[in-house]
Amino acid sequence: MKASKTNVQKITHLMTMNPGGPLAQVMILEAVRQYCGSVVAAGRPADNPTGIISAPAWYDTGLAIASQLDHWSNLDL
């Protein structure tokens, strides 16, 4: 049985081996930006100690990613 790819390998594959080329990279980054934006827009939730993933940690991660993407989009490269 073939070993599963890690998440990093999956994203790397999508960004480098896609027939859309650089357009795929833009689409992936835009999808991440929009999703993180929707997580942040919903506000920081209360913690649910019985949840598998901490809702506040999910929010904080979304905020960190959204902030980094916003920072990069405002740079004059």
Side-chain angles (χ1 to χ4, degrees):
M1 188 159 94
K2 189 174 180 180
S4 296
K5 290 184 179 205
T6 67
N7 289 337
V8 171
Q9 290 171 322
K10 290 174 186 176
I11 295 299
T12 300
H13 180 84
L14 288 172
M15 297 200 62
T16 59
M17 305 303 282
N18 193 297
L23 187 58
Q25 294 177 14
V26 173
M27 182 172 284
I28 291 165
L29 288 173
E30 181 62 14
V32 170
R33 187 190 67 77
Q34 286 188 24
Y35 180 74
C36 289
S38 69
V39 168
V40 172
R44 193 171 203 277
D47 195 14
N48 177 1
T50 62
I52 294 173
I53 297 173
S54 165
W58 190 258
Y59 170 87
D60 292 344
T61 301
L63 181 60
I65 293 170
S67 296
Q68 185 65 65
L69 289 173
D70 285 344
H71 172 72
W72 284 336
S73 69
N74 291 324
L75 293 177
D76 293 328
L77 301 176

